[in-house]
Amino acid sequence: MIPRWAGRPPDWWKITARWRVEETARFVPVPYVTKSLIIVSAFVFSYELARSTPDLRRLYEKWGVVPNDLVDWLKSPDVSRQPLTVVTSGFLSDDIVRFASNIVVLCILGIALERLLVRSFDNAGYWMFAATYTASLLGATALQVALTADDTVPFVGASGAIAGIGGAYVMTDPRWAVLLIVWALLQIGGIAALGGDTRLPYYAHIGGFVTGCTSMLLLSALLLRTRGA
């Protein structure tokens, strides 16, 4: 099915556009993916709040990403939890301020982007959103590990994936870049740490943002080409 455009999309990049649906203007899709991410993240964070500092340290060391360990695993892959930590680390958080700011961005830009995609591409929009989030998480981890390969301190948090969702939405509406700047400042200046020994993944923010922007452009181009738009 060809996306239902209210007129032809603008030529910005000739790929993405601020999608507006004429026939289904009153249809408000349920953001299943975003809601699931928020619920799971809130559940995990509540679990963290109930842990002592030593327990948190062990939790981060076990399920966070330790760059040096992941690099060693890549050199000699085996059956271990190392690849799984790339995913699990994205649901952990070591700081209340950073966790809260991530949830705010998900509630605003995450829900808006998911609804925008579903209204434009029907159910394929859900897969497009999920793929963008996943790719952003992987891209964020890849850049952080590549630039801190010798680091033995784990890093956790969904900031890389959140940056990717923000970047993807900015590709459709650049005005929201202001919110991302505020979010980035809160990420850097978070002060309400839970007490576990972790590293703030600065490079993950950049990796996630670039991956999110790229994913939005590539997936949009692919779906538009597939549907003949």
Side-chain angles (χ1 to χ4, degrees), residues 2 22 25 35-36 38 52 69 86 88 98 128 132 198 220 228:
I2 298 176
E22 187 174 13
K35 283 189 173 183
S36 298
I38 292 174
S52 63
D69 292 348
V86 175
T88 57
R98 287 195 282 272
M128 191 173 177
T132 299
T198 59
S220 296

Side-chain angles (χ1 to χ4, degrees), residues 72-95:
D72 288 342
W73 182 89
L74 291 172
K75 293 178 179 177
S76 180
D78 58 10
V79 180
S80 70
R81 67 171 183 272
Q82 287 306 321
L84 186 60
T85 61
V86 175
V87 177
T88 57
S89 65
F91 290 96
L92 295 171
S93 185
D94 61 348
D95 186 277

Side-chain angles (χ1 to χ4, degrees), residues 86-188:
V86 175
V87 177
T88 57
S89 65
F91 290 96
L92 295 171
S93 185
D94 61 348
D95 186 277
I96 297 176
V97 174
R98 287 195 282 272
F99 169 78
S101 62
N102 284 344
I103 294 300
V104 168
V105 172
L106 269 181
C107 288
I108 298 176
L109 297 188
I111 290 177
L113 178 62
E114 186 173 356
R115 285 175 171 170
L116 187 63
L117 292 173
V118 175
R119 290 178 63 178
S120 301
F121 297 104
D122 299 310
N123 288 335
Y126 289 118
W127 295 103
M128 191 173 177
F129 181 88
T132 299
Y133 188 92
T134 303
S136 299
L137 179 61
L138 296 177
T141 301
L143 184 62
Q144 181 69 28
V145 171
L147 297 180
T148 60
D150 296 329
D151 204 336
T152 58
V153 178
F155 66 87
V156 298
S159 55
I162 301 299
I165 291 301
Y169 198 80
V170 166
M171 288 294 97
T172 70
D173 190 346
R175 292 173 297 179
W176 285 101
V178 176
L179 177 60
L180 282 184
I181 294 174
V182 174
W183 168 82
L185 293 175
L186 289 174
Q187 290 288 304
I188 296 173

